[in-house]
Amino acid sequence: MATERALDLGAGSGRAGALKLPWSKDAESGTPSPTGLRVSGFNSVCQGTHILFREFSFIQATPHNRASFLRAFWRCFRTVGKNGDLLTMREYHCLLQLLCPDFPLELTQKAARIVLMDDAVDCLMSFSDFLFAFQIQFYYSEFLESVAAIYQDLLSGKNPNTVIVPTSSSGQHRPRPTLGEASMLEGVEASLFCQCLENLCDRHKYSCPPPALVKEVLSNVQRLTFYGFLVALSKHHGINQALGALPDKGDLMHDPALDEELERLLAQIPGLVNSVTAGPEASCLPARTPPRVGSPWRPLHHTRKVDAESDGSTEETDESET
């Protein structure tokens, strides 16, 4: 026999303002009731935590799941940005795998190339630069594959009126243009590219950036390269707002609600007084230990701190060995 409890819906404290729902556990067996499980699952989806530690096929299944994963990645690891650490592509990939164990390396590599503009994906990147590039690459991945195919067609001189919009399955096997190819040909004509992308947005069955914002990006230049287009998308304030997963860049390191909740939880754990004093996020990430043989982790002695007032440049400083 299940007990009942009242949920206050905010319409008063009387009977009219409460709803009776079964208790989450059966009174006799102690097992969760079906209704309790449904309520818990619904709350998880609303809060965006349902994607944590799930397989990649699940987190990319819907736009809501993708946005939830982006938000979870930001909230879990924003301490990297607050500390000013610069990480490599593989180190960011390790962080992604903490939330999604089978997250594909290829997507992380593509996001890193948006930041670095070439194949030197082992260079250091700031958290904010990687995060906004990763947002574009992950959320609009199918759209970008189609854009890459159209860009290659325009480079080869095909008439835009005869461009065939590729499907996601065909686009996955087409190589992206390299920086050398784009530099040699100086990209494509922006107005022609814009015309093709307008048609793509009309037909594409996956998520696309708002067409008006895409047109705005392309209207500012006469010619552009493929990666120049991706960089412009990743830095566009309006596209970030339209997607709605991440705050503006200026607010990226601030989350007062999460800080307050972490401080409250950590204060309840014995032996963590120093961590709470140092900062509520001090123990969110495990401390780096010397890497085991074959481990993808590398010590962060090669990173440097980014001045909060700097432009986030990833240029390294020379350090003499002692």
Side-chain angles (χ1 to χ4, degrees):
M1 176 180 179
T3 60
E4 295 181 338
R5 76 172 174 183
L7 286 180
D8 188 2
L9 298 182
S13 58
R15 291 185 178 181
L19 175 66
K20 297 289 185 177
L21 288 178
W23 187 255
S24 59
K25 290 186 178 181
D26 186 271
E28 297 179 358
S29 65
T31 58
S33 69
T35 302
L37 290 175
R38 285 195 291 268
V39 171
S40 176
F42 177 77
N43 289 336
S44 177
V45 172
C46 290
Q47 296 166 5
T49 58
H50 64 299
I51 46 78
L52 293 174
F53 318 119
R54 296 295 302 268
E55 62 278 5
F56 179 72
S57 60
F58 179 82
I59 67 170
Q60 71 156 356
T62 68
H64 176 73
N65 286 6
R66 296 187 188 197
S68 297
F69 185 79
L70 287 167
R71 193 175 298 110
F73 181 76
W74 160 61
R75 299 191 80 184
C76 287
F77 303 117
R78 67 193 174 99
T79 184
V80 173
K82 292 184 73 172
N83 292 339
D85 290 326
L86 304 178
L87 304 184
T88 66
M89 178 275 298
R90 291 195 174 273
E91 287 170 330
Y92 281 116
H93 184 66
C94 288
L95 297 182
L96 290 167
Q97 287 184 311
L98 291 178
L99 303 182
C100 174
D102 66 337
F103 197 91
L105 178 63
E106 182 184 8
L107 274 180
T108 314
Q109 291 173 330
K110 289 179 177 179
R113 289 193 176 103
I114 296 177
V115 178
L116 303 173
M117 294 287 287
D118 57 25
D119 292 331
V121 293
D122 288 332
C123 293
L124 301 175
M125 296 172 281
S126 69
F127 180 73
S128 60
D129 286 345
F130 176 81
L131 181 62
F132 284 109
F134 175 71
Q135 173 178 238
I136 294 297
Q137 178 58 60
F138 175 62
Y139 195 86
Y140 297 124
S141 57
E142 294 86 0
F143 171 76
L144 296 187
E145 292 296 342
S146 298
V147 172
I150 289 177
Y151 182 85
Q152 289 283 27
D153 289 342
L154 291 178
L155 282 181
S156 65
K158 286 188 177 181
N159 189 309
N161 295 325
T162 61
V163 170
I164 300 176
V165 178
T167 62
S168 60
S169 58
S170 63
Q172 290 173 354
H173 304 291
R174 299 187 63 163
R176 285 194 172 185
T178 64
L179 184 64
E181 293 171 344
S183 298
M184 181 179 61
L185 297 171
E186 297 181 354
V188 298
E189 185 180 341
S191 60
L192 204 57
F193 194 42
C194 182
Q195 179 183 345
C196 295
L197 295 192
E198 285 180 346
N199 295 333
L200 174 63
C201 292
D202 290 339
R203 308 179 192 181
H204 212 266
K205 62 180 180 180
Y206 297 99
S207 297
C208 301
L213 298 182
V214 173
K215 187 174 182 179
E216 178 183 321
V217 169
L218 296 175
S219 65
N220 295 326
V221 293
Q222 293 184 343
R223 301 184 68 85
L224 83 167
T225 64
F226 176 71
Y227 281 102
F229 174 65
L230 299 190
V231 169
L233 291 182
S234 68
K235 294 183 177 181
H236 196 283
H237 173 74
I239 291 178
N240 179 60
Q241 281 195 326
L243 202 152
L246 300 177
D248 295 335
K249 190 170 184 177
D251 299 325
L252 199 62
M253 306 310 166
H254 305 288
D255 191 349
L258 179 60
D259 288 341
E260 182 179 350
E261 180 66 13
L262 286 175
E263 186 173 356
R264 184 185 67 81
L265 293 174
L266 291 175
Q268 300 174 11
I269 303 176
L272 290 183
V273 177
N274 292 336
S275 297
V276 175
T277 303
E281 292 179 332
S283 60
C284 291
L285 289 176
R288 287 285 185 90
T289 57
R292 300 187 303 273
V293 175
S295 171
W297 285 105
R298 291 189 294 175
L300 286 181
H301 65 270
H302 61 283
T303 65
R304 67 174 178 84
K305 303 298 182 182
V306 179
D307 189 338
E309 301 299 326
S310 71
D311 60 359
S313 172
T314 58
E315 181 180 356
E316 298 180 57
T317 57
D318 295 333
E319 297 181 1
S320 59
E321 296 183 0
T322 58

mmCIF file of all heavy atoms in Angstrom, residues 82-111:
data_model
loop_
_atom_site.group_PDB
_atom_site.id
_atom_site.type_symbol
_atom_site.label_atom_id
_atom_site.label_comp_id
_atom_site.label_asym_id
_atom_site.label_seq_id
_atom_site.Cartn_x
_atom_site.Cartn_y
_atom_site.Cartn_z
ATOM 1 N N LYS A 82 38.116 29.439 -15.076
ATOM 2 C CA LYS A 82 38.323 30.365 -13.961
ATOM 3 C C LYS A 82 39.769 30.353 -13.493
ATOM 4 O O LYS A 82 40.311 31.372 -13.077
ATOM 5 C CB LYS A 82 37.391 29.997 -12.805
ATOM 6 C CG LYS A 82 35.915 30.230 -13.105
ATOM 7 C CD LYS A 82 35.043 29.936 -11.912
ATOM 8 C CE LYS A 82 35.165 31.003 -10.843
ATOM 9 N NZ LYS A 82 34.176 30.822 -9.751
ATOM 10 N N ASN A 83 40.404 29.183 -13.567
ATOM 11 C CA ASN A 83 41.804 29.078 -13.163
ATOM 12 C C ASN A 83 42.761 29.566 -14.243
ATOM 13 O O ASN A 83 43.954 29.718 -14.002
ATOM 14 C CB ASN A 83 42.149 27.632 -12.805
ATOM 15 C CG ASN A 83 41.439 27.170 -11.547
ATOM 16 O OD1 ASN A 83 41.007 27.977 -10.741
ATOM 17 N ND2 ASN A 83 41.303 25.860 -11.386
ATOM 18 N N GLY A 84 42.251 29.777 -15.465
ATOM 19 C CA GLY A 84 43.098 30.237 -16.553
ATOM 20 C C GLY A 84 43.934 29.150 -17.194
ATOM 21 O O GLY A 84 44.894 29.452 -17.914
ATOM 22 N N ASP A 85 43.602 27.874 -16.962
ATOM 23 C CA ASP A 85 44.384 26.784 -17.536
ATOM 24 C C ASP A 85 44.156 26.679 -19.046
ATOM 25 O O ASP A 85 43.040 26.869 -19.539
ATOM 26 C CB ASP A 85 44.014 25.445 -16.889
ATOM 27 C CG ASP A 85 44.481 25.353 -15.452
ATOM 28 O OD1 ASP A 85 45.540 25.924 -15.145
ATOM 29 O OD2 ASP A 85 43.778 24.727 -14.629
ATOM 30 N N LEU A 86 45.209 26.364 -19.765
ATOM 31 C CA LEU A 86 45.141 26.087 -21.193
ATOM 32 C C LEU A 86 45.346 24.591 -21.382
ATOM 33 O O LEU A 86 46.307 24.021 -20.874
ATOM 34 C CB LEU A 86 46.202 26.867 -21.958
ATOM 35 C CG LEU A 86 46.198 28.393 -21.774
ATOM 36 C CD1 LEU A 86 47.340 29.027 -22.551
ATOM 37 C CD2 LEU A 86 44.867 28.987 -22.203
ATOM 38 N N LEU A 87 44.453 23.949 -22.119
ATOM 39 C CA LEU A 87 44.518 22.512 -22.313
ATOM 40 C C LEU A 87 44.655 22.179 -23.788
ATOM 41 O O LEU A 87 44.321 22.977 -24.667
ATOM 42 C CB LEU A 87 43.268 21.830 -21.749
ATOM 43 C CG LEU A 87 42.925 22.086 -20.283
ATOM 44 C CD1 LEU A 87 41.710 21.252 -19.888
ATOM 45 C CD2 LEU A 87 44.098 21.799 -19.380
ATOM 46 N N THR A 88 45.125 20.969 -24.056
ATOM 47 C CA THR A 88 45.214 20.479 -25.426
ATOM 48 C C THR A 88 43.890 19.852 -25.834
ATOM 49 O O THR A 88 43.000 19.630 -25.001
ATOM 50 C CB THR A 88 46.330 19.436 -25.563
ATOM 51 O OG1 THR A 88 45.978 18.275 -24.786
ATOM 52 C CG2 THR A 88 47.663 19.984 -25.093
ATOM 53 N N MET A 89 43.780 19.535 -27.103
ATOM 54 C CA MET A 89 42.575 18.890 -27.601
ATOM 55 C C MET A 89 42.317 17.578 -26.880
ATOM 56 O O MET A 89 41.177 17.271 -26.481
ATOM 57 C CB MET A 89 42.716 18.655 -29.108
ATOM 58 C CG MET A 89 41.535 17.941 -29.758
ATOM 59 S SD MET A 89 41.599 16.128 -29.646
ATOM 60 C CE MET A 89 43.091 15.784 -30.555
ATOM 61 N N ARG A 90 43.350 16.772 -26.669
ATOM 62 C CA ARG A 90 43.159 15.465 -26.022
ATOM 63 C C ARG A 90 42.751 15.622 -24.563
ATOM 64 O O ARG A 90 41.996 14.791 -24.035
ATOM 65 C CB ARG A 90 44.415 14.614 -26.150
ATOM 66 C CG ARG A 90 44.671 14.154 -27.588
ATOM 67 C CD ARG A 90 45.693 13.029 -27.654
ATOM 68 N NE ARG A 90 45.805 12.535 -29.019
ATOM 69 C CZ ARG A 90 45.019 11.588 -29.542
ATOM 70 N NH1 ARG A 90 44.074 11.040 -28.798
ATOM 71 N NH2 ARG A 90 45.191 11.186 -30.788
ATOM 72 N N GLU A 91 43.214 16.649 -23.911
ATOM 73 C CA GLU A 91 42.811 16.876 -22.528
ATOM 74 C C GLU A 91 41.343 17.306 -22.449
ATOM 75 O O GLU A 91 40.604 16.860 -21.561
ATOM 76 C CB GLU A 91 43.727 17.913 -21.886
ATOM 77 C CG GLU A 91 45.115 17.351 -21.595
ATOM 78 C CD GLU A 91 46.118 18.409 -21.183
ATOM 79 O OE1 GLU A 91 45.993 19.570 -21.629
ATOM 80 O OE2 GLU A 91 47.034 18.066 -20.416
ATOM 81 N N TYR A 92 40.900 18.135 -23.390
ATOM 82 C CA TYR A 92 39.481 18.469 -23.430
ATOM 83 C C TYR A 92 38.650 17.221 -23.755
ATOM 84 O O TYR A 92 37.542 17.051 -23.232
ATOM 85 C CB TYR A 92 39.212 19.564 -24.460
ATOM 86 C CG TYR A 92 39.554 20.949 -23.976
ATOM 87 C CD1 TYR A 92 40.563 21.694 -24.577
ATOM 88 C CD2 TYR A 92 38.877 21.514 -22.898
ATOM 89 C CE1 TYR A 92 40.884 22.962 -24.127
ATOM 90 C CE2 TYR A 92 39.194 22.786 -22.445
ATOM 91 C CZ TYR A 92 40.195 23.505 -23.057
ATOM 92 O OH TYR A 92 40.521 24.760 -22.601
ATOM 93 N N HIS A 93 39.193 16.364 -24.596
ATOM 94 C CA HIS A 93 38.464 15.137 -24.928
ATOM 95 C C HIS A 93 38.312 14.246 -23.703
ATOM 96 O O HIS A 93 37.263 13.614 -23.514
ATOM 97 C CB HIS A 93 39.188 14.382 -26.048
ATOM 98 C CG HIS A 93 38.444 13.166 -26.515
ATOM 99 N ND1 HIS A 93 37.227 13.249 -27.162
ATOM 100 C CD2 HIS A 93 38.732 11.832 -26.410
ATOM 101 C CE1 HIS A 93 36.799 12.024 -27.451
ATOM 102 N NE2 HIS A 93 37.685 11.162 -26.996
ATOM 103 N N CYS A 94 39.327 14.198 -22.855
ATOM 104 C CA CYS A 94 39.226 13.430 -21.611
ATOM 105 C C CYS A 94 38.116 13.978 -20.718
ATOM 106 O O CYS A 94 37.387 13.211 -20.080
ATOM 107 C CB CYS A 94 40.559 13.434 -20.876
ATOM 108 S SG CYS A 94 41.838 12.420 -21.645
ATOM 109 N N LEU A 95 37.974 15.296 -20.667
ATOM 110 C CA LEU A 95 36.899 15.890 -19.882
ATOM 111 C C LEU A 95 35.536 15.507 -20.452
ATOM 112 O O LEU A 95 34.599 15.198 -19.704
ATOM 113 C CB LEU A 95 37.042 17.411 -19.848
ATOM 114 C CG LEU A 95 38.294 17.981 -19.180
ATOM 115 C CD1 LEU A 95 38.248 19.507 -19.180
ATOM 116 C CD2 LEU A 95 38.461 17.454 -17.765
ATOM 117 N N LEU A 96 35.412 15.516 -21.762
ATOM 118 C CA LEU A 96 34.158 15.112 -22.393
ATOM 119 C C LEU A 96 33.831 13.661 -22.084
ATOM 120 O O LEU A 96 32.663 13.302 -21.851
ATOM 121 C CB LEU A 96 34.240 15.323 -23.905
ATOM 122 C CG LEU A 96 34.254 16.775 -24.387
ATOM 123 C CD1 LEU A 96 34.661 16.858 -25.848
ATOM 124 C CD2 LEU A 96 32.891 17.417 -24.186
ATOM 125 N N GLN A 97 34.853 12.812 -22.054
ATOM 126 C CA GLN A 97 34.621 11.399 -21.778
ATOM 127 C C GLN A 97 34.240 11.141 -20.329
ATOM 128 O O GLN A 97 33.677 10.089 -20.029
ATOM 129 C CB GLN A 97 35.867 10.594 -22.143
ATOM 130 C CG GLN A 97 36.070 10.451 -23.647
ATOM 131 C CD GLN A 97 37.245 9.560 -23.978
ATOM 132 O OE1 GLN A 97 38.339 9.725 -23.444
ATOM 133 N NE2 GLN A 97 37.017 8.590 -24.857
ATOM 134 N N LEU A 98 34.535 12.073 -19.426
ATOM 135 C CA LEU A 98 34.062 11.918 -18.056
ATOM 136 C C LEU A 98 32.538 12.006 -17.989
ATOM 137 O O LEU A 98 31.913 11.408 -17.103
ATOM 138 C CB LEU A 98 34.678 12.999 -17.159
ATOM 139 C CG LEU A 98 36.184 12.885 -16.890
ATOM 140 C CD1 LEU A 98 36.644 14.063 -16.037
ATOM 141 C CD2 LEU A 98 36.525 11.566 -16.217
ATOM 142 N N LEU A 99 31.930 12.726 -18.918
ATOM 143 C CA LEU A 99 30.471 12.851 -18.972
ATOM 144 C C LEU A 99 29.842 11.878 -19.946
ATOM 145 O O LEU A 99 28.680 11.492 -19.775
ATOM 146 C CB LEU A 99 30.081 14.281 -19.358
ATOM 147 C CG LEU A 99 30.602 15.406 -18.464
ATOM 148 C CD1 LEU A 99 30.079 16.756 -18.959
ATOM 149 C CD2 LEU A 99 30.204 15.184 -17.020
ATOM 150 N N CYS A 100 30.581 11.491 -20.969
ATOM 151 C CA CYS A 100 30.090 10.560 -21.993
ATOM 152 C C CYS A 100 31.256 9.664 -22.400
ATOM 153 O O CYS A 100 32.085 10.056 -23.228
ATOM 154 C CB CYS A 100 29.550 11.325 -23.202
ATOM 155 S SG CYS A 100 29.067 10.273 -24.603
ATOM 156 N N PRO A 101 31.356 8.464 -21.821
ATOM 157 C CA PRO A 101 32.549 7.619 -22.012
ATOM 158 C C PRO A 101 32.888 7.297 -23.467
ATOM 159 O O PRO A 101 34.060 7.126 -23.796
ATOM 160 C CB PRO A 101 32.194 6.336 -21.234
ATOM 161 C CG PRO A 101 31.222 6.792 -20.192
ATOM 162 C CD PRO A 101 30.419 7.875 -20.846
ATOM 163 N N ASP A 102 31.885 7.228 -24.345
ATOM 164 C CA ASP A 102 32.178 6.871 -25.741
ATOM 165 C C ASP A 102 32.116 8.084 -26.666
ATOM 166 O O ASP A 102 31.872 7.940 -27.872
ATOM 167 C CB ASP A 102 31.230 5.775 -26.230
ATOM 168 C CG ASP A 102 29.775 6.237 -26.307
ATOM 169 O OD1 ASP A 102 29.418 7.207 -25.596
ATOM 170 O OD2 ASP A 102 29.001 5.621 -27.061
ATOM 171 N N PHE A 103 32.340 9.283 -26.106
ATOM 172 C CA PHE A 103 32.303 10.479 -26.954
ATOM 173 C C PHE A 103 33.385 10.359 -28.024
ATOM 174 O O PHE A 103 34.550 10.104 -27.716
ATOM 175 C CB PHE A 103 32.529 11.741 -26.125
ATOM 176 C CG PHE A 103 32.117 12.988 -26.836
ATOM 177 C CD1 PHE A 103 30.833 13.481 -26.700
ATOM 178 C CD2 PHE A 103 33.000 13.670 -27.669
ATOM 179 C CE1 PHE A 103 30.439 14.628 -27.372
ATOM 180 C CE2 PHE A 103 32.619 14.812 -28.338
ATOM 181 C CZ PHE A 103 31.327 15.293 -28.192
ATOM 182 N N PRO A 104 33.032 10.554 -29.305
ATOM 183 C CA PRO A 104 33.993 10.343 -30.396
ATOM 184 C C PRO A 104 35.082 11.400 -30.460
ATOM 185 O O PRO A 104 34.808 12.603 -30.335
ATOM 186 C CB PRO A 104 33.112 10.376 -31.656
ATOM 187 C CG PRO A 104 31.904 11.152 -31.259
ATOM 188 C CD PRO A 104 31.680 10.885 -29.802
ATOM 189 N N LEU A 105 36.305 10.948 -30.646
ATOM 190 C CA LEU A 105 37.454 11.849 -30.741
ATOM 191 C C LEU A 105 37.333 12.784 -31.944
ATOM 192 O O LEU A 105 37.783 13.931 -31.900
ATOM 193 C CB LEU A 105 38.743 11.032 -30.830
ATOM 194 C CG LEU A 105 40.044 11.810 -30.976
ATOM 195 C CD1 LEU A 105 40.288 12.687 -29.751
ATOM 196 C CD2 LEU A 105 41.219 10.849 -31.194
ATOM 197 N N GLU A 106 36.722 12.315 -33.011
ATOM 198 C CA GLU A 106 36.625 13.107 -34.243
ATOM 199 C C GLU A 106 35.921 14.445 -34.013
ATOM 200 O O GLU A 106 36.342 15.481 -34.536
ATOM 201 C CB GLU A 106 35.884 12.313 -35.321
ATOM 202 C CG GLU A 106 35.769 13.045 -36.651
ATOM 203 C CD GLU A 106 34.948 12.290 -37.670
ATOM 204 O OE1 GLU A 106 34.338 11.261 -37.301
ATOM 205 O OE2 GLU A 106 34.908 12.722 -38.834
ATOM 206 N N LEU A 107 34.860 14.446 -33.210
ATOM 207 C CA LEU A 107 34.145 15.696 -32.947
ATOM 208 C C LEU A 107 35.006 16.674 -32.157
ATOM 209 O O LEU A 107 34.974 17.886 -32.405
ATOM 210 C CB LEU A 107 32.851 15.411 -32.177
ATOM 211 C CG LEU A 107 31.618 15.050 -33.007
ATOM 212 C CD1 LEU A 107 30.419 14.806 -32.095
ATOM 213 C CD2 LEU A 107 31.290 16.147 -34.003
ATOM 214 N N THR A 108 35.776 16.155 -31.202
ATOM 215 C CA THR A 108 36.664 17.022 -30.436
ATOM 216 C C THR A 108 37.744 17.604 -31.337
ATOM 217 O O THR A 108 38.104 18.780 -31.217
ATOM 218 C CB THR A 108 37.311 16.238 -29.286
ATOM 219 O OG1 THR A 108 36.316 15.458 -28.618
ATOM 220 C CG2 THR A 108 37.963 17.181 -28.287
ATOM 221 N N GLN A 109 38.278 16.797 -32.248
ATOM 222 C CA GLN A 109 39.294 17.270 -33.185
ATOM 223 C C GLN A 109 38.738 18.374 -34.081
ATOM 224 O O GLN A 109 39.399 19.389 -34.328
ATOM 225 C CB GLN A 109 39.807 16.112 -34.029
ATOM 226 C CG GLN A 109 40.631 15.106 -33.261
ATOM 227 C CD GLN A 109 40.978 13.878 -34.081
ATOM 228 O OE1 GLN A 109 40.215 13.476 -34.974
ATOM 229 N NE2 GLN A 109 42.119 13.275 -33.808
ATOM 230 N N LYS A 110 37.527 18.206 -34.562
ATOM 231 C CA LYS A 110 36.921 19.221 -35.429
ATOM 232 C C LYS A 110 36.696 20.530 -34.681
ATOM 233 O O LYS A 110 36.897 21.621 -35.237
ATOM 234 C CB LYS A 110 35.600 18.699 -35.997
ATOM 235 C CG LYS A 110 35.769 17.594 -37.036
ATOM 236 C CD LYS A 110 34.425 17.106 -37.540
ATOM 237 C CE LYS A 110 34.602 16.062 -38.639
ATOM 238 N NZ LYS A 110 33.298 15.555 -39.134
ATOM 239 N N ALA A 111 36.284 20.428 -33.416
ATOM 240 C CA ALA A 111 36.110 21.638 -32.620
ATOM 241 C C ALA A 111 37.443 22.348 -32.405
ATOM 242 O O ALA A 111 37.526 23.580 -32.479
ATOM 243 C CB ALA A 111 35.476 21.285 -31.276
#
